[in-house]
Amino acid sequence: MAKEPFEQFAMPNEVRAFVEQSVAQARSAFDGIANAATQAVSHWQGQAHAARAGASEIAHKSMAYAEQNMASTFDFAQDATEVIRLQQEYMARQMQTLTAQTQELGQSAAKIVMDAAKPKT
């Protein structure tokens, strides 16, 4: 059976799986880095008794900002997959519309030719 005419706009499963796996691996790597940074900050805090209060606040805010920014980045990566899916759907609908319009124009042209070819009585 012939392929659907709009399959060319579909994201291959392998590409989707690769994107999802890449995001998961990046998130896992970030979690490891965040844990190591948190441990390093904790260690550093133990040795910085004199500036403990200020350093602690800055360190916690910095980590919170980094986590917030990375979470936002991962959310965007997930949203990008949705944008690609929506774009594919749009392109498929546009191709269906263009196909229907082309068929209608072809039928109209054929009718005009047929009518013109009829003998005038």
Side-chain angles (χ1 to χ4, degrees):
M1 179 171 193
K3 286 186 173 182
E4 288 291 326
F6 308 111
E7 282 183 7
Q8 62 186 337
F9 298 107
M11 179 190 293
N13 289 335
E14 295 84 2
V15 172
R16 183 180 308 277
F18 176 77
V19 169
E20 291 172 356
Q21 181 183 15
S22 295
V23 169
Q25 288 174 342
R27 185 180 300 270
S28 176
F30 173 74
D31 288 345
I33 291 169
N35 287 337
T38 300
Q39 289 175 357
V41 166
S42 294
H43 180 70
W44 177 76
Q45 286 176 339
Q47 296 182 2
H49 294 302
R52 182 170 173 84
S56 177
E57 181 181 347
I58 290 172
H60 287 324
K61 280 185 180 180
S62 296
M63 288 305 299
Y65 293 157
E67 289 174 0
Q68 179 184 3
N69 293 339
M70 288 307 296
S72 177
T73 300
F74 288 123
D75 288 344
F76 173 77
Q78 293 295 335
D79 291 344
T81 301
E82 178 67 10
V83 169
I84 291 169
R85 185 189 63 76
L86 292 172
Q87 181 67 23
Q88 289 171 341
E89 289 176 7
Y90 168 76
M91 291 300 295
R93 283 193 312 272
Q94 283 301 103
M95 290 305 296
Q96 289 171 341
T97 300
L98 289 172
T99 299
Q101 291 170 345
T102 301
Q103 289 173 347
E104 187 176 326
L105 286 173
Q107 290 169 354
S108 295
K111 184 180 182 309
I112 291 169
V113 169
M114 294 298 288
D115 289 347
K118 287 182 185 174
K120 302 286 183 199
T121 56

